[in-house]
Amino acid sequence: MKFILLSFGFLLSCASVSKIETLNESVPRPIFRALVQGTVEPLPAKNDYKDRVLTKLTPSFVIHWSEMPTSTLESDLNFLQDRIITSHKSYGTFVKLPIGQKLSRAELQSKDIDLILDVKLETTNDLLSMQIKYLDPVLDFQYGFADFIFKLESEKERSKKNKRLEVFQDKTTLIPLTVSVLEYWSEVQSPKPTEIKAILDSAVRGQISIFSTSPGTTIKLDDKEIGKAPLLDYAILNGKHTLAFSKPGKDPQIRPIIVRAGKKNRIFHEWDDDISQGTIFLTSYPLGLDVIVAGQKKGKTHYAESGVPYGSYPIQFVRSKLNDSFEYANSSIAIRPRTISTLSLPFALEQGVSWEAEDFWTSSGGSPHFSSTFTGTLTFDSSHDLPVGWYGVFSQNMIPDRIVSNVNLGLADELGGRIGFLISEVAGKSTLLLVDKTDFHVISYSGGETEARILASYRWNSEDKEKGRSIVWETDPEKQLLKVYLGSTLVLEKPWDFKSQWQIAILTPHNSFFKGNPLRGIKIHYPDMIKFEEKLKK
């Protein structure tokens, strides 16, 4: 195998890193190790209080006035807040705050808030618009929106002699109020009660989609039958639940789950006697591409299907516009018994470790004491000493093409353990960037190697608190190369297989385990596809 390590002194003198003495260490090759489902009770995420074990039936909400004209009267604000409360109180619990106050994350958690009603006021001529966004207090997520519109009604001012007295009938008596109001807000548009109820209800419910290698598998939720696989977008209250899978001739299999309100969960169940069929899971970022399997249009990404017969299938990712279809990429997928075969086209993945990208990753390690969660961003944790090996997340198989990807890490003092970033050809060569606080070590594995020695070591010259430290990897289809940079410094260039699918992984070793957020972020771009997408939008 030929590869080039670039360490020329002239280049490094003004570069992001400096070459240091190579660490004399042999590093085991990371491999994917699945956790057998049902072997351990699921644990809620530590930094997401809405990831609950105990079910909450009614959402709690606060009102945050995010934007308003400077001329807004306090009396108008009180009126508008009362209007929000009266229209929402039947479906949630209002937690009162002084108008203008905004709670911190800790305060939101202490009050167990499920929704923030973010309110924006705008005035145009005689109209007042109140726009409400229903925001999750932890995740960057919006449950819905609603608009209230009011019109300023006025009466011509009359002489004092002609003022009239308004009264209010209270059962059997007439109660005098004030003289007639010359101006007041009249409501001309508001959301329907059913719309408000649906939004608030979604703040305490998640969704599950269940797939099985045996279509028709009976599914029970908390001892109640809810349908048969495949079951799509089934709404379920937050909290801990128990799923049971059954089919003729097999004992029921139990799987505990925790449902987080607002999130969609895909659950795959494999039977050990399904020797002739498997499951496919196809994604794209952004989602919404048409999926064609063996010439048959199946749906849009993200797409999953179980009970697919064993074999190899051609896959196309297509963008449809009016009467035209444009193929973005094509590849093939091999279906194996009792397995989930994945393929992804992350051609414009911007927030690669956020909760929106959770489907792109699969937890690896094999130990029930390790957890990887996506609560705002990827988080590693362990509840016990871990067996020997690597722990983290592996991506879905990626379609090969021209790629530019930026992996952003924190500063040296933010790392309490080692972090590994792996780039692999599926069943082929791999490159591992091992980060140990200030030092970055480059390891290259051939197809059959189970471990390899460190090739070169580098140290960051200076750290930027805001920008962090970046690993950039890019592929060149014309020259069939993989290039790896530390900041602006090219540190590795090696031949790369563009016929094989690729995979990346974010990892930490058992003997220097990192707890917390291993990355600040990761972006993956397919530049040619992004340019084509921009042309289509014009």
Side-chain angles (χ1 to χ4, degrees), residues 232-477:
L232 303 179
D233 297 333
Y234 184 86
I236 179 173
L237 278 167
N238 64 94
K240 183 180 175 182
H241 300 274
T242 300
L243 290 173
F245 305 92
S246 61
K247 71 174 186 175
K250 298 290 289 185
D251 292 332
Q253 295 190 8
I254 305 300
R255 180 172 173 179
I257 61 171
I258 290 179
V259 174
R260 201 273 191 201
K263 292 184 73 172
K264 292 186 176 183
N265 301 272
R266 287 181 174 82
I267 298 169
F268 299 92
H269 179 75
E270 297 81 44
W271 292 99
D272 58 11
D273 62 340
D274 287 330
I275 60 174
S276 62
Q277 52 191 11
T279 298
I280 60 172
F281 186 30
L282 309 174
T283 68
S284 73
Y285 296 88
L287 51 75
L289 293 182
D290 292 317
V291 172
I292 299 176
V293 180
Q296 182 180 358
K297 187 175 179 180
K298 291 288 188 174
K300 293 184 179 294
T301 54
H302 302 333
Y303 176 79
E305 182 179 347
S306 295
V308 181
Y310 168 87
S312 181
Y313 296 83
I315 305 292
Q316 296 169 275
F317 290 89
V318 174
R319 174 74 77 197
S320 297
K321 185 177 182 180
L322 299 177
N323 296 323
D324 296 322
S325 295
F326 305 91
E327 182 184 275
Y328 275 41
N330 67 78
S331 188
S332 62
I333 194 167
I335 306 301
R336 298 288 182 264
R338 301 189 299 274
T339 61
I340 301 169
S341 300
T342 68
L343 187 62
S344 185
L345 184 63
F347 70 93
L349 179 56
E350 300 296 333
Q351 304 292 332
V353 288
S354 70
W355 67 274
E356 295 98 326
E358 185 172 359
D359 283 334
F360 183 63
W361 305 97
T362 302
S363 185
S364 171
S367 171
H369 302 297
F370 168 72
S371 67
S372 60
T373 56
F374 289 82
T375 51
T377 187
L378 173 63
T379 304
F380 291 162
D381 199 7
S382 64
S383 59
H384 197 273
D385 290 341
L386 297 171
V388 174
W390 290 92
Y391 296 83
V393 291
F394 278 72
S395 75
Q396 294 182 308
N397 290 351
M398 300 163 56
I399 292 179
D401 207 310
R402 186 187 307 278
I403 290 178
V404 177
S405 176
N406 186 295
V407 182
N408 189 250
L409 298 99
L411 307 184
D413 61 6
E414 297 176 25
L415 302 185
R418 283 182 163 185
I419 293 172
F421 182 73
L422 184 73
I423 312 165
S424 298
E425 303 165 350
V426 175
K429 301 185 294 293
S430 295
T431 294
L432 177 68
L433 278 297
L434 181 61
V435 185
D436 189 356
K437 292 189 178 296
T438 60
D439 300 343
F440 290 67
H441 308 292
V442 182
I443 304 103
S444 185
Y445 304 91
S446 64
E449 283 185 302
T450 57
E451 65 176 62
R453 303 200 70 79
I454 292 174
L455 294 175
S457 299
Y458 298 86
R459 183 165 295 161
W460 216 263
N461 289 330
S462 62
E463 298 183 332
D464 186 308
K465 184 177 181 180
E466 297 300 322
K467 294 181 180 179
R469 301 176 294 174
S470 62
I471 298 170
V472 177
W473 63 280
E474 61 181 44
T475 57
D476 185 335

Side-chain angles (χ1 to χ4, degrees), residues 25-257:
E25 183 176 329
S26 184
V27 181
R29 182 178 191 159
I31 59 172
F32 177 77
R33 297 180 298 164
L35 173 66
V36 178
Q37 299 294 342
T39 60
V40 65
E41 290 291 316
L43 297 175
K46 290 184 177 180
N47 56 348
D48 183 359
Y49 66 87
K50 287 196 66 176
D51 199 30
R52 304 183 177 99
V53 173
L54 298 178
T55 298
K56 186 175 181 181
L57 300 177
T58 304
S60 303
F61 66 92
V62 293
I63 298 173
H64 172 227
W65 299 90
S66 61
E67 188 175 336
M68 67 181 75
T70 56
S71 59
T72 305
L73 300 176
E74 183 179 351
S75 58
D76 288 342
L77 284 178
N78 290 329
F79 158 70
L80 294 171
Q81 179 160 285
D82 287 344
R83 182 66 185 95
I84 295 173
I85 295 169
T86 55
S87 59
H88 289 70
K89 65 181 181 181
S90 297
Y91 317 114
T93 301
F94 172 61
V95 178
K96 188 175 182 179
L97 300 175
I99 291 178
Q101 181 179 348
K102 185 176 182 180
L103 296 180
S104 66
R105 173 70 65 83
E107 291 170 326
L108 290 167
Q109 180 172 352
S110 68
K111 297 179 183 296
D112 200 26
I113 300 301
D114 299 281
L115 270 178
I116 298 173
L117 275 59
D118 186 82
V119 185
K120 176 182 178 181
L121 298 182
E122 289 183 341
T123 55
T124 305
N125 296 326
D126 60 348
L127 292 179
L128 171 64
S129 171
M130 183 168 68
Q131 304 165 15
I132 303 177
K133 294 180 181 178
Y134 297 83
L135 305 180
D136 190 279
V138 180
L139 303 180
D140 183 16
F141 179 79
Q142 182 174 323
Y143 291 95
F145 63 90
D147 287 331
F148 290 77
I149 298 177
F150 304 87
K151 184 178 181 181
L152 185 63
E153 303 284 1
S154 62
E155 298 179 19
K156 290 183 178 180
E157 187 173 358
R158 299 172 180 172
S159 64
K160 294 181 180 180
K161 293 182 180 179
N162 293 330
K163 282 185 176 179
R164 57 190 171 87
L165 186 68
E166 293 186 347
V167 295
F168 172 74
Q169 183 170 353
D170 180 22
K171 295 183 179 177
T172 59
T173 61
L174 296 178
I175 301 175
L177 297 178
T178 60
V179 291
S180 61
V181 178
L182 299 180
E183 291 184 337
Y184 60 93
W185 292 109
S186 172
E187 187 174 288
V188 296
Q189 178 181 313
S190 62
K192 298 177 181 178
T194 53
E195 295 172 337
I196 295 175
K197 182 180 184 301
I199 293 174
L200 266 64
D201 192 51
S202 68
V204 290
R205 291 182 183 271
Q207 291 184 339
I208 56 174
S209 293
I210 302 175
F211 305 88
S212 172
T213 50
S214 289
T217 292
T218 299
I219 304 165
K220 287 186 177 181
L221 174 68
D222 300 330
D223 294 325
K224 179 182 178 181
E225 184 173 332
I226 59 173
K228 298 184 182 296
L231 184 67
L232 303 179
D233 297 333
Y234 184 86
I236 179 173
L237 278 167
N238 64 94
K240 183 180 175 182
H241 300 274
T242 300
L243 290 173
F245 305 92
S246 61
K247 71 174 186 175
K250 298 290 289 185
D251 292 332
Q253 295 190 8
I254 305 300
R255 180 172 173 179
I257 61 171

Side-chain angles (χ1 to χ4, degrees), residues 1-8 11 423 429-431 433 442-444 455-456 458 472-476 479-486 489-496 498:
M1 172 177 48
K2 296 180 180 179
F3 54 88
I4 301 173
L5 287 167
L6 289 99
S7 57
F8 304 109
L11 291 175
I423 312 165
K429 301 185 294 293
S430 295
T431 294
L433 278 297
V442 182
I443 304 103
S444 185
L455 294 175
Y458 298 86
V472 177
W473 63 280
E474 61 181 44
T475 57
D476 185 335
K479 296 181 179 180
Q480 303 281 292
L481 291 175
L482 167 69
K483 298 179 182 180
V484 180
Y485 298 79
L486 295 178
T489 306
L490 178 63
V491 297
L492 181 68
E493 185 177 281
K494 64 189 291 185
W496 206 242
F498 281 73

